[in-house]
Amino acid sequence: MSKLEFPNALFIDGKWVPSARRESFESVNPATEEVLASVPRADAHDVDLAVRAAKKAFYGEWSEVTPSERGRLLYQLAQAIQSRREELAELETLDNGKPLREALGDVDGVVQTIQYNAGAADKLQGDTIPLGKEVVDFTWLEPLGVTAHIVPWNFPLGIAVRSVAPALAAGCTVVLKPAEESPLSALRLASIAKEVGFPDGVLNVVTGFGEEAGAALVRHPQVRGVTFTGSAETGRKIVAQTAEALKPLVLELGGKNALIVFADADLERAVSDAIEAVFGNCGQVCSAASRLLLHRSIQGEFVERFCERASSLKVAPGLENGDLGPLISKEQLQRAQDYIRSGLQEGAELRLGGKRPAHLPRGYFLEPTVFEAVNPQMRIAQEEIFAPVVVAMPFDTDEEAIRIANEVDYGLVAGVYTQDIRRAMTFAQKLECGSVWINGWYLGGVQAPTGGVKASGFGRERGLAGIHNYLQIKNVAIKL
Ligand code: NAI
Ligand code: MG
């Protein structure tokens, strides 16, 4: 695969701008380990330029655009992305590694997300508050201003748009920093936004490293809100970086999510959902089912059926459209291999996988990997591995299942498979997480809020909650 045609430039104020230092880094195709494109390694100076452009647009041209015109522009952006569905999916597959089928699904999700926010742009209404005849009191919902969006590499376009679209719908302007592992689709997004008519400076993209461009962006005094998706470790740094200026913050961090199966569950459905929930996007999903909690009476049969299905999954480069592509990077592969070693050392039983596939000597591939005989306190049962590696654990009672499910630092999602509505609702009440899914996985959609508790972060994205992240309430009171 030859190098892609990409200007080695940032997208600032509607133009391609080289970084001031002219330093670059390379984005690599994780299936081949070959270089795809060079992109600028932005520093604080470049970030400042982008934030200034966003600020100028916020107080200038963008402030003159009515809410319904903002919605129309977003709708046009959705249509332009729809019409370039294959091209964008292929770019995402090259840069991230995921199977083309999944990348196409991501682009469809991006279109839906933008359309949802387009429709909401002119429905962001305040309240009138009854205070008696002597005072008129009402609220306005005002955009925050310039917002910073720091996104990871697992759904490069999907996670970018999940926060950028509502910020634009709310009337904010944006500086987006994609992950260094997968910067290309964000740059494409910005140039498409320009093509459909977004004013210059409304959507800016700076590529660069987290500690450098990311930290400078988050710290920038003119940035009025920050949305971050990524690791809990980096999330803590972002909190520290924004503490001084007291910036509103949305943090979407990791998960160690339990998929809980009871004896009365539809086992076929549970197994087939679990395959998708564990191995989709090669396990690199914050809401992946990385822990299988199985009632002891069905544990043996479940693991048997699960491993049989998992062993038939095809590991292949994303463009060949198998079931699992490569992991994003050499670092992530090594991290996963370290966890596999740690699981073996702690005495877990490796039921499937654990190695790089022999037929793929190049690329960051890993076999679907299943551990059994896992103790809930082992590292592989507590920490986010972010790879196609799952741990299966038995339980005997409802109380034990809830305790194991909750006894991790994270609290993003959990799922329960049972025919017993009373049990399902009890679990929904007692599970400490942002979303509970019953008899299904990856439920909800662009309309439903998503986010975490505990080390999974705070704030909610998607739905109307996702737009309110970018609005502040102003109360106006008039004495008559
Ligand atoms: P990371 O959290 O370090 O990177 C995510 C984004 O944050 C990137 O755009 C990066 O450039 C930026 N960043 C890093 N340090 C920063 C800083 N000091 N200031 C501002 N921005 C900064 O994640 P990483 O290191 O790529 O992955 C490590 C682990 O994190 C994964 O194995 C996985 O467990 C977890 N992770 C979770 C994700 C999720 O969706 N919840 C996404 C990506 C990673
Ligand atoms: Mg990092």
Side-chain angles (χ1 to χ4, degrees), residues 4 19 47 61 70 85 156 179 182 187 190 201 210 222 277 281 301 324 332 345 353-354 398 402 405 445 450 478:
L4 290 174
S19 72
V47 165
E61 212 176 331
R70 292 202 302 263
R85 179 174 182 263
S182 56
L187 290 166
Q222 301 303 329
N281 211 38
E301 186 187 351
L324 285 85
Q332 288 299 117
Q345 273 160 16
D398 291 22
I402 289 168
T450 173
I478 306 162

Side-chain angles (χ1 to χ4, degrees), residues 149-155 159 162 177-181 208-219 228-235 237-238 241 252-255 284-287 328-329 331-332 335-336 339 383-387 410 412 456:
H149 304 249
I150 311 264
V151 301
W153 38 259
N154 50 343
F155 297 88
I159 293 180
R162 186 168 80 182
K177 196 204 80 67
E180 40 274 60
E181 293 84 354
F209 298 150
E211 301 280 349
E212 199 171 25
L217 177 58
V218 165
R219 282 207 172 96
F228 169 77
T229 307
S231 64
E233 188 191 352
T234 300
K237 291 184 194 158
I238 305 269
Q241 287 159 4
E252 290 272 6
L253 310 176
Q284 302 167 117
V285 187
C286 47
S287 46
I328 187 74
S329 65
E331 290 71 29
Q332 288 299 117
R335 212 179 116 99
Y339 275 112
E383 297 174 22
E384 184 178 54
I385 302 176
F386 231 59
Y410 294 106
L412 193 57
S456 294

Side-chain angles (χ1 to χ4, degrees), residues 159-181:
I159 293 180
V161 163
R162 186 168 80 182
S163 69
V164 167
L168 297 176
C172 292
T173 57
V174 165
V175 180
L176 166 64
K177 196 204 80 67
E180 40 274 60
E181 293 84 354

Side-chain angles (χ1 to χ4, degrees), residues 327 330-346 354 366 371 379-380 383 385 387 389:
L327 290 162
K330 186 179 283 175
E331 290 71 29
Q332 288 299 117
L333 175 61
Q334 275 165 2
R335 212 179 116 99
Q337 289 172 315
D338 287 345
Y339 275 112
I340 291 168
R341 267 190 295 278
S342 147
L344 291 170
Q345 273 160 16
E346 289 194 277
L366 185 63
F371 275 110
R379 276 185 63 215
I380 54 168
E383 297 174 22
I385 302 176
V389 180

Side-chain angles (χ1 to χ4, degrees), residues 130-425:
L131 288 179
K133 287 189 175 158
E134 300 298 311
V135 181
V136 175
D137 192 291
F138 62 93
T139 59
W140 280 326
L141 301 181
E142 298 181 332
L144 295 183
V146 178
T147 54
H149 304 249
I150 311 264
V151 301
W153 38 259
N154 50 343
F155 297 88
L157 196 57
I159 293 180
V161 163
R162 186 168 80 182
S163 69
V164 167
L168 297 176
C172 292
T173 57
V174 165
V175 180
L176 166 64
K177 196 204 80 67
E180 40 274 60
E181 293 84 354
S182 56
L184 302 180
S185 55
L187 290 166
R188 196 70 101 217
L189 173 72
S191 68
I192 296 175
K194 159 112 180 169
E195 280 167 34
V196 304
F198 276 87
D200 292 348
V202 171
L203 173 53
N204 308 278
V205 176
V206 287
T207 54
F209 298 150
E211 301 280 349
E212 199 171 25
L217 177 58
V218 165
R219 282 207 172 96
H220 197 292
Q222 301 303 329
V223 165
R224 295 292 170 81
V226 175
T227 298
F228 169 77
T229 307
S231 64
E233 188 191 352
T234 300
R236 290 186 185 94
K237 291 184 194 158
I238 305 269
V239 172
Q241 287 159 4
T242 53
E244 183 74 17
L246 298 170
K247 294 180 192 185
L249 198 54
V250 177
L251 293 182
E252 290 272 6
L253 310 176
K256 190 70 178 179
N257 312 297
L259 186 157
I260 306 165
V261 187
F262 283 93
D264 66 349
D266 175 343
L267 268 202
E268 185 45 42
R269 184 198 286 188
V271 168
S272 128
D273 284 1
I275 289 286
E276 167 67 20
V278 170
F279 300 119
N281 211 38
C282 205
Q284 302 167 117
V285 187
C286 47
S287 46
S290 44
R291 295 185 293 158
L292 301 176
L293 260 67
L294 309 170
H295 190 265
R296 199 178 295 278
S297 63
I298 50 107
Q299 184 203 11
E301 186 187 351
F302 188 100
V303 173
E304 197 66 39
R305 281 160 78 166
F306 183 83
C307 286
E308 194 184 314
R309 291 278 296 275
S311 60
S312 71
L313 296 174
K314 186 177 164 208
V315 184
L319 290 180
E320 290 175 26
N321 226 353
D323 298 301
L324 285 85
L327 290 162
I328 187 74
S329 65
K330 186 179 283 175
E331 290 71 29
Q332 288 299 117
L333 175 61
Q334 275 165 2
R335 212 179 116 99
Q337 289 172 315
D338 287 345
Y339 275 112
I340 291 168
R341 267 190 295 278
S342 147
L344 291 170
Q345 273 160 16
E346 289 194 277
E349 186 189 322
L350 186 63
R351 279 293 305 264
L352 189 72
K355 302 186 303 296
R356 301 180 68 167
H359 69 288
L360 292 163
R362 285 185 76 75
Y364 313 122
F365 296 94
L366 185 63
E367 292 171 344
T369 298
V370 181
F371 275 110
E372 215 184 357
V374 172
N375 169 323
Q377 300 314 321
M378 291 178 183
R379 276 185 63 215
I380 54 168
Q382 287 288 323
E383 297 174 22
E384 184 178 54
I385 302 176
F386 231 59
V389 180
V390 72
V391 298
M393 293 179 280
F395 68 88
D396 290 298
T397 63
D398 291 22
E399 292 67 34
E400 188 187 10
I402 289 168
R403 182 173 50 74
I404 297 174
N406 285 342
E407 269 181 7
V408 289
D409 289 343
Y410 294 106
L412 193 57
V413 306
V416 187
Y417 285 73
T418 177
Q419 303 297 332
D420 181 340
I421 184 73
R422 190 180 168 80
R423 172 182 273 152
M425 293 316 294

